[in-house]
């Protein structure tokens, strides 16, 4: 029988045996019926020099990692620092500094690490779980680790497990043998040291990789699919519909992803996406082609607009953009190999290629940064809106925009009133609620502004915020009187609660100062870079473009105007 077929049969048998075991992730992992073939396929793709005549024997260091990889592992990252440091292209790297810093601050020479394998477990009720297997070229004693990194209690014992611990008690360090150290959360580290009859899927894949990449990452995308899609939900909303659909479809169809990098010698990058079956891989291939086409057309159009004059140089530049974009599109198109797609880039050492890639990707990077900042600000507004709802649940009404004294004089902002509902009860208790925001005492708290009131990009003075409630005699929040949900007859989903303003009208966060509506020009001081974000009364957050009409904006600012309007 062909050697590769024997390997595949053995992996299939191992996979079936492994899937019969009961643990918390079994249901999710069993959903991939062809997982064993995926393990074989991805390993073969990441082993381009493999052949029946030259197949190397699996090293003891790999066997050790396979044995220590829990079945609950959903991702792994392998680093080979010693191999990387020995490469020809690393001659100008500050290797001496790396060694000195490692010994001084940790107690280990990083360049004596043969391989380090970071193993990531599925997030659970106990929080993120993971571990690290460090295999050194020479014997090492964990008691040589910098004492400042430890809890000072020395070696501890939990049953048969002997370990050191960090000051938090969350991480433990265990000496497996003279050249192997295991570091991890206590729960995961114990799982790593359990004897297993059969390796799990990630462990099997690690064991079948034949080439020794400087860096290798493997992810079980199918296991993490709901988590990944949930995390990307907000960023994807910032993208065009076609890109949203393509990216979501790729995630849903992908079973495993692997990324291998060789940097010290040949400078090669290899990405593998495996669908686990012909139909799933067809979907990945089609959606990647659509995504690449859209990106190419978008970037080319944007670049050409910068050179739209009729000069010879501009004409030549547009021609160059067309030519280079075509070459790069070809290089970035993965090759189909069975049930996997492989993107192999072996020219990253070419400075011109790097420069061109950087130039073409700059708009994407900038767009990604802007999207990330919008997402963070959106999350801030979401927390603020949720705090309002929790306040209403506790007190039966929404707070007034400004707390007042017995003489109806405004004292403190609603941003102070909702502090207990954004996990800032201790800060709330520091305020003298019977004094105005600018009293001698309360002014000392201005610089303790919670992070939720700080915009990720807008430059404001310390203690100032651009998150403001909309305040008028018709708005959802009233200046000095509480508002009940029954008062919002236009509907909470049609009424703006709070907005981002531009930094020109930022206000002290404790002050009873907010966005005052000018019905003649309701968008004044509201938009930055053509947009603003607004939290509605129902807790949702929406992006509003400056193209919105004054009529619609005024209607969204009223709680009981009788208009029938929604966010455009």
């Amino acid at each position: 029988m062909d050697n590769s077929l024997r390997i595949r049969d053995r992996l299939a048998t191992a996979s079936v045996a492994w899937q019969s075991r009961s643990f918390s992730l079994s249901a999710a992992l069993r959903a991939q019926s062809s997982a064993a073939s995926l393990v074989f396929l991805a390993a073969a793709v990441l082993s381009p020099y493999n052949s029946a005549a030259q197949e190397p024997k699996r090293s003891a260091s790999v066997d050790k990692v396979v044995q220590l990889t829990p079945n609950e592992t959903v991702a792994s990252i392998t680093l080979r620092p010693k191999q990387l440091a020995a490469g020809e292209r690393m001659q100008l790297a500050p290797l001496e500094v790396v060694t000195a810093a490692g010994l001084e601050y940790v107690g280990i020479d990083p360049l004596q690490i043969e391989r380090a394998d970071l193993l990531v477990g599925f997030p659970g009720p106990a929080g993120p779980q993971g571990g690290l297997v460090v295999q050194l070229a020479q014997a090492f004693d964990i008691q040589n680790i910098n004492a400042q990194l430890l809890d000072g209690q020395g070696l501890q014992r939990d049953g048969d497990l002997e370990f050191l611990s960090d000051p938090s008690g969350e991480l433990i360090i265990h000496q497996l043998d003279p050249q192997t150290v295991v570091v991890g959360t206590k729960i995961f580290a114990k799982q790593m040291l359990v004897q297993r009859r059969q390796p799990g899927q990630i462990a099997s894949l690690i064991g079948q990789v034949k080439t020794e990449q400087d860096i290798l990452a493997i992810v079980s995308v199918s296991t993490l699919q709901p988590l990944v899609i949930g995390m990307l939900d907000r960023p994807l909303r910032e993208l065009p519909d076609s890109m949203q659909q393509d990216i979501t479809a790729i995630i849903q169809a992908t079973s495993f992803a692997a990324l291998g990098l060789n940097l010290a010698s040949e400078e090669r990058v290899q990405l593998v996406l495996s669908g686990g079956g012909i139909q799933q891989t067809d979907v990945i291939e089609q959606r990647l082609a659509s995504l690449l086409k859209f990106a190419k057309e978008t970037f080319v159009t944007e670049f050409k607009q910068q050179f739209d004059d009729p000069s010879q140089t501009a004409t030549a530049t547009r021609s160059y953009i067309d030519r280079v974009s075509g070459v790069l599109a070809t290089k970035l198109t993965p090759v189909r190999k069975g049930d996997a797609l492989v993107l192999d880039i072996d020219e990253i050492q070419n400075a011109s290629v790097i420069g061109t890639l950087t130039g073409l990707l700059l708009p994407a990077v900038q767009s990604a940064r802007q999207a990330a900042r919008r997402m963070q600000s959106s999350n801030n507004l979401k927390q603020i809106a949720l705090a309002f709802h929790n306040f209403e649940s506790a007190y039966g009404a929404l707070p007034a925009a400004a707390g007042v004294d017995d003489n109806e004089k405004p004292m403190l902002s609603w941003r102070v009133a909702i502090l207990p509902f954004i996990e800032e009860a201790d800060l709330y208790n520091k305020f003298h609620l019977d004094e105005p925001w600018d009293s001698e005492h309360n002014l000392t708290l201005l610089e303790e502004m919670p992070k939720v009131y700080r915009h990720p990009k807008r430059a404001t003075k310390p203690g100032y915020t651009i998150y403001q409630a909309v305040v008028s005699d018709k708005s959802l929040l009233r200046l000095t009187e509480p508002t009940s949900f029954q008062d919002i007859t236009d509907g909470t989903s049609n009424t703006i609660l709070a907005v981002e303003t531009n930094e020109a009208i930022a206000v002290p966060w404790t002050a009873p100062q907010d966005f005052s509506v000018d019905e003649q020009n309701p968008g004044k001081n509201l938009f930055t870079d053509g947009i603003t974000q607004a939290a509605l009364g129902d807790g949702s957050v929406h992006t509003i473009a400056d193209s919105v009409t004054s009529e619609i904006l005024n209607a969204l600012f009223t709680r009981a105007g009788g208009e029938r309007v929604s966010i455009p």
Side-chain angles (χ1 to χ4, degrees), residues 447-463:
E447 294 186 2
E448 295 190 37
M449 184 172 75
K451 187 177 180 180
V452 72
Y453 297 145
R454 186 177 300 114
H455 192 278
K457 181 183 178 183
R458 311 279 171 81
T460 60
K461 293 190 295 185

Side-chain angles (χ1 to χ4, degrees), residues 239-460:
L239 299 176
D241 290 344
S242 61
M243 294 187 74
Q244 292 183 42
Q245 295 164 7
D246 288 338
I247 294 173
T248 301
I250 290 169
I251 295 171
Q252 292 174 337
T254 301
S255 180
F256 282 92
L259 178 68
L261 292 91
N262 282 320
L263 305 175
S265 55
E266 57 183 333
E267 293 195 4
R268 183 183 187 197
V269 177
Q270 192 174 53
L271 173 67
V272 178
L273 296 178
S274 180
I278 294 176
Q279 292 183 344
Q280 293 96 326
T281 308
D282 285 344
V283 171
I284 300 173
E285 187 172 29
Q286 294 163 8
R287 294 291 188 165
L288 278 175
S290 172
L291 199 59
L292 187 59
K293 179 182 178 183
F294 181 89
K296 175 188 171 184
E297 292 174 350
T298 301
F299 296 156
V300 167
T301 299
E302 183 169 339
F303 269 92
K304 281 187 173 181
Q305 287 176 350
Q306 301 177 34
F307 305 95
D308 57 358
D309 62 89
S311 69
Q312 291 183 1
T313 300
T315 301
T317 301
R318 292 194 296 272
S319 177
Y320 169 74
I321 292 171
D322 285 331
R323 178 173 64 83
V324 171
S325 64
V327 172
L328 289 175
T330 300
K331 290 184 177 295
L332 295 176
T333 299
V335 176
R336 178 74 173 262
K337 294 187 178 182
D339 288 346
L341 291 166
V342 183
L343 177 62
D344 214 332
I345 302 177
D346 57 6
E347 295 183 6
I348 61 173
Q349 77 280 6
N350 188 316
S352 63
V353 172
I354 295 175
T356 304
L357 279 170
T358 301
L360 285 179
L361 291 176
L362 276 176
V365 172
Q366 183 63 23
S367 176
R369 286 177 177 172
Q370 291 174 352
R373 287 165 177 162
R374 283 198 297 270
M375 180 179 67
Q376 179 59 54
S377 184
S378 175
N379 288 339
N380 290 346
L381 283 167
K382 176 74 74 173
Q383 289 185 57
I384 290 170
L386 179 61
F388 272 108
H389 278 255
N390 289 337
F391 186 102
E392 194 277 338
S393 295
Y395 298 107
L398 299 171
V404 297
D405 62 11
D406 294 338
N407 298 317
E408 298 297 312
K409 178 184 176 182
M411 302 288 281
L412 289 161
S413 169
W414 57 267
R415 288 175 287 266
V416 175
I418 67 170
L419 283 176
F421 302 96
I422 56 171
E423 299 182 356
E424 292 283 358
D426 289 344
L427 178 56
Y428 178 79
N429 291 330
K430 293 181 182 179
F431 279 90
H432 291 175
L433 301 180
D434 58 349
E435 297 177 4
W437 73 276
D438 55 355
S439 70
E440 183 178 356
H441 170 79
N442 286 342
L443 270 180
T444 64
L445 303 174
L446 190 61
E447 294 186 2
E448 295 190 37
M449 184 172 75
K451 187 177 180 180
V452 72
Y453 297 145
R454 186 177 300 114
H455 192 278
K457 181 183 178 183
R458 311 279 171 81
T460 60

Side-chain angles (χ1 to χ4, degrees), residues 455-471:
H455 192 278
K457 181 183 178 183
R458 311 279 171 81
T460 60
K461 293 190 295 185
Y464 278 61
T465 183
I466 56 90
Y467 296 113
Q468 301 178 35
V470 175
V471 177

